[in-house]
Amino acid sequence: MVLHFSQDEFVRRKSQTLAQMEANGLDALLMFAPESMYWLTGFDTFGFCFLQCLVLRKSGEMTLMTRAPDLLQAKHTSDISDIRIWVDRDESGPVIQLRDMLDDIDLLGCKLGVEYGTQGFTAQQGIAFNELMRSFASVEDASDIIPRLRSVKSFAEIEYMREASRLSDLAWNAALQETASGVNEGRILAAMQGAVLENDGDYPANEFVIGSGADALLCRYKSGRRTLDAQDQLTVEFAGAYRHYHAPGIRTLIIGRPTPRHLEFYDACRATLTRMEEAMRPGNTFSDVFVAHANELDSRSLYPNRLNACGYSVGARFAPSWMDWPMFYRDNEAIIEPHMVLFGHIILTDSDTGTAMCLGRTYLTTDGAPEPLSDAPLDLVVKA
């Protein structure tokens, strides 16, 4: 069995979950999110592309339903002892078999909390499940129970976040070494991802973002590479990933000479990141951090060039995204607490001049000022 945390850690997490279930009056929690299963039991797989469900009853007993290819995966990577296999049939087959399993573990007529808000439970499956539950049990959305618990990290998790940040810095250093006029983006990307994997890191929950020229203004990965010109710009968004814990960073590098717009944007990014750090303290809200971001940029007449969010919580995540709950946006009243790990970023783009500038790093919240987990300097990087 390969577990990345102590049994005491898993016992504590289960106790926290059971307390929340009791507060919500739930007889059982049905988990479909891979992050929930990993956090609660260590179960580590990409098999959530098919339906799988971990059921935690108020007694503390756990039962996993998954497909046959994940039977050994569950035995090898988790502390789950009761594992049930659903058999491939028609499209409604796994949902019907899930209902039958719930009946077998005596949940008929009970109050069930369900994780609907996850990539591990499709809308199609949810519709079929709700229909089957009409005469079986009462169900309610419990998608927020475990994400809220996961948002505050244990000391063991913080150590993994520090290692993820070390890997993130290695990826950034690899980009610095490879970036130059005449170099293809693929070579830079390979060096960055290779630096993580060579040092016992993981594939990230989503692709690294890399783009130069006009593509430097994009915030998402896309297929296709280009070679850097003598006068160019390169945006990279990346994350060290260690035991699935992610520490992202985002930067724009200049090849050749920065334009006046580049310098204007960079100065705005540095000032804005400082304002965000000042707001990133316990007792403030996630909205407070966004408002600090917006006020600084808007005071510089950069409202048309900014986004309507400026970061999010990070931790152990699975595909398709390393973004976690909660996010920095206006009116998000989620409270910042000590021992959260938060990625703050500024993304500025100007389509008229073709200018991009991005700056961001990952922080650990404390009782006071946040601690940057990256050792990389924030200076504007200009490469020949």
Side-chain angles (χ1 to χ4, degrees), residues 261-277:
R261 192 64 158 162
H262 280 131
L263 297 176
E264 177 193 0
F265 275 10
Y266 173 74
D267 288 343
C269 286
R270 280 299 297 266
T272 301
L273 195 60
T274 298
R275 300 294 174 264
M276 291 168 61
E277 291 171 354

Side-chain angles (χ1 to χ4, degrees), residues 51 65 86-100 122 124-129 131-132:
L51 186 142
M65 192 186 84
W86 64 265
V87 180
D88 296 273
R89 296 174 186 162
D90 57 28
E91 289 299 319
S92 61
V95 181
I96 293 172
Q97 292 173 71
L98 174 58
R99 191 272 315 275
D100 292 344
T122 67
Q124 182 186 49
Q125 293 165 345
I127 291 169
F129 174 81
E131 187 62 32
L132 287 172

Side-chain angles (χ1 to χ4, degrees), residues 327-345:
M327 182 176 285
F328 296 126
Y329 56 79
R330 194 179 299 278
D331 298 329
N332 185 350
E333 296 306 312
I335 302 296
I336 296 173
E337 301 179 51
H339 297 169
M340 286 181 161
V341 182
L342 309 176
F343 174 46
H345 64 65

Side-chain angles (χ1 to χ4, degrees), residues 33-173:
E35 296 83 8
S36 297
M37 299 182 202
Y38 180 73
W39 182 80
L40 199 59
T41 72
F43 184 33
D44 186 356
T45 179
F46 66 74
F48 59 87
C49 57
F50 298 95
L51 186 142
Q52 57 185 16
C53 181
L54 176 66
V55 181
L56 173 62
R57 285 169 275 175
K58 64 181 181 182
S59 63
E61 296 173 284
M62 291 190 293
T63 302
L64 173 69
M65 192 186 84
T66 188
R67 289 178 73 240
D70 280 300
L71 174 61
L72 292 180
Q73 194 89 4
K75 288 182 176 181
H76 190 63
T77 67
S78 81
D79 61 2
I80 307 167
S81 57
D82 185 6
I83 303 171
R84 315 287 180 94
I85 301 302
W86 64 265
V87 180
D88 296 273
R89 296 174 186 162
D90 57 28
E91 289 299 319
S92 61
V95 181
I96 293 172
Q97 292 173 71
L98 174 58
R99 191 272 315 275
D100 292 344
M101 187 195 79
L102 297 176
D103 191 19
D104 188 58
I105 59 177
D106 298 323
L107 291 178
L108 176 65
C110 291
K111 184 179 180 181
L112 310 179
V114 181
E115 285 188 337
Y116 289 104
T118 170
Q119 67 275 28
F121 196 39
T122 67
Q124 182 186 49
Q125 293 165 345
I127 291 169
F129 174 81
N130 287 344
E131 187 62 32
L132 287 172
M133 289 296 104
R134 287 183 185 275
S135 58
F136 182 85
S138 63
V139 298
E140 67 177 47
D141 188 356
S143 301
D144 64 340
I145 288 180
I146 290 187
R148 289 180 182 275
L149 295 175
R150 290 195 307 104
S151 68
V152 177
K153 306 298 187 286
S154 69
F155 290 112
E157 288 178 296
I158 289 170
E159 288 306 305
Y160 284 174
M161 294 299 317
R162 292 190 185 280
E163 181 61 16
S165 296
R166 186 183 74 86
L167 296 175
S168 182
D169 282 352
L170 290 177
W172 170 241
N173 290 336

